[in-house]
């Protein structure tokens, strides 16, 4: 039975990656446990607070690399919602891991959110859920337009440089790592492998996959490298996010 309610109250967080590009921060902790400088809170803590503020009451966290560190933090923290953790016995891939975690959601007949464990963002999830419902989508991806990490150069037709632009936004939108899924989506996921190479393309061909552009001014950053942590700290200081 399709969930008629536009606002999910449950979510999955994929937190099993090794975060090799964030070493040495991830030598002794999983990527979502890396602290955002200046906050005293790891990435996963920011995500749980955001989800709770958006009406989510239950979260399933899919753990992998150094799962015990994350589980110990969850056990000691004052959490704003109910959290369940699952640990893959062996690597299942992103799609398989998502399916494995979704099986523990408390309301299998209702829609659900999902997010990658390295995303630090703030935008109105309820609006994304309404967008998803209006389009009768099976899955909806949040879309971001990130900035290039380098400066860009503008030239005229003759080849003269006319301007330098510091970290311009790219012209294409990218998958922002935040999702809304219809209840039946879990059944379409592979038991092993990557859903972005299997399930998503099939849904796109059937016009069942929607893309929700992040609202103007919404904060979004994927924490992939030490430079991302530095930039996040600068943005936090500048904007008080």
């Amino acid at each position: 039975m399709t969930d008629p309610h536009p606002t999910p109250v449950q979510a999955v967080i994929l937190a099993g990656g090794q975060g090799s590009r964030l070493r040495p921060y991830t030598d002794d902790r999983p990527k979502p446990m890396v602290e955002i400088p200046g906050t005293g809170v790891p990435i996963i803590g920011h995500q749980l607070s955001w989800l709770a503020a958006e009406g989510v009451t239950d979260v399933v966290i899919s753990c992998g690399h150094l799962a015990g560190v994350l589980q110990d933090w969850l056990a000691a923290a004052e959490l704003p919602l109910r959290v369940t953790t699952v640990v893959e016995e062996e690597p299942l891939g992103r799609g398989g891991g998502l399916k494995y975690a979704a099986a523990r959601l408390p309301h299998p007949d209702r829609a659900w959110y999902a997010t990658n464990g390295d995303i630090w963002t703030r935008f109105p999830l309820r609006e994304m859920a309404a967008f998803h419902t209006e389009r009768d989508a099976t899955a909806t991806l949040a879309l971001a337009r990130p900035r290039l990490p380098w400066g860009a150069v503008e030239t005229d037709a003759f080849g003269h440089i006319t301007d330098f632009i510091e970290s311009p936004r790219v012209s294409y939108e990218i998958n922002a790592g935040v999702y809304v899924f219809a209840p039946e989506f879990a059944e379409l996921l592979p038991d092993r492998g990557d859903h972005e190479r299997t399930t998503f393309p099939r849904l796109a061909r059937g016009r069942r996959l929607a893309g929700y552009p992040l609202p103007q001014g919404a904060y979004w950053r994927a924490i992939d490298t030490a430079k991302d942590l530095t930039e996040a700290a600068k943005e936090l200081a500048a904007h008080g996010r």
Side-chain angles (χ1 to χ4, degrees):
M1 177 178 173
T2 301
D3 175 17
H5 198 289
T7 306
V9 296
Q10 54 188 358
V12 168
I13 299 177
L14 292 175
Q18 293 194 11
S20 56
R21 295 173 64 198
L22 260 175
R23 288 176 178 159
Y25 296 99
T26 51
D27 284 344
D28 62 354
R29 69 196 64 196
K31 196 176 186 182
M33 280 301 298
V34 173
E35 181 183 313
I36 300 293
T39 70
V41 178
I43 300 168
I44 193 79
H46 292 283
Q47 291 182 324
L48 292 174
S49 296
W50 173 51
L51 290 170
E54 291 293 326
V56 174
T57 59
D58 293 89
V59 170
V60 179
I61 301 177
S62 177
C63 306
H65 175 64
L66 297 174
V69 177
L70 175 52
Q71 291 171 322
D72 289 346
W73 181 85
L74 291 168
E78 292 187 15
L79 303 175
L81 35 62
R82 290 182 291 273
V83 174
T84 302
T85 60
V86 296
V87 182
E88 298 174 22
E89 297 288 336
E90 54 189 50
L92 299 175
R94 289 188 296 177
L98 193 60
K99 186 173 188 175
Y100 184 62
R104 296 292 300 275
L105 289 169
H107 309 290
D109 60 337
R110 300 185 66 174
W112 46 294
Y113 297 118
T115 183
N116 297 339
D118 59 356
I119 301 298
W120 189 30
T121 186
R122 286 291 186 277
F123 67 89
L125 272 176
R126 292 179 179 91
E127 292 183 12
M128 182 178 174
F131 180 97
H132 168 84
T133 300
E134 287 166 2
R135 283 146 186 83
D136 193 28
T138 302
T140 298
L141 287 61
L143 304 177
R145 199 181 294 275
R147 293 186 179 277
L148 284 172
W150 314 282
V153 176
E154 283 191 348
T155 61
D156 62 20
F158 192 66
H160 291 121
I161 292 176
T162 58
D163 201 4
F164 294 90
I165 306 170
E166 186 64 29
S167 298
R169 291 196 180 278
V170 299
S171 57
Y172 289 99
E173 292 175 310
I174 66 166
N175 179 353
V178 181
Y179 313 91
V180 183
F181 296 135
E184 64 270 21
F185 178 76
E187 300 172 5
L188 305 177
L189 288 165
D191 293 328
R192 293 175 180 273
D194 189 346
H195 60 293
E196 294 191 13
R197 296 179 182 274
T198 55
T199 311
F200 280 173
R202 286 199 302 270
L203 289 175
R205 288 193 292 270
R207 298 295 187 268
R208 305 291 295 168
L209 188 66
Y212 172 76
L214 294 185
Q216 185 72 25
Y219 183 76
W220 178 88
R221 178 173 285 279
I223 307 296
D224 287 324
T225 66
K227 183 178 180 181
D228 291 321
L229 285 175
T230 302
E231 293 298 320
K234 289 179 182 177
E235 291 160 352
L236 180 71
H239 304 289
R241 296 188 185 278

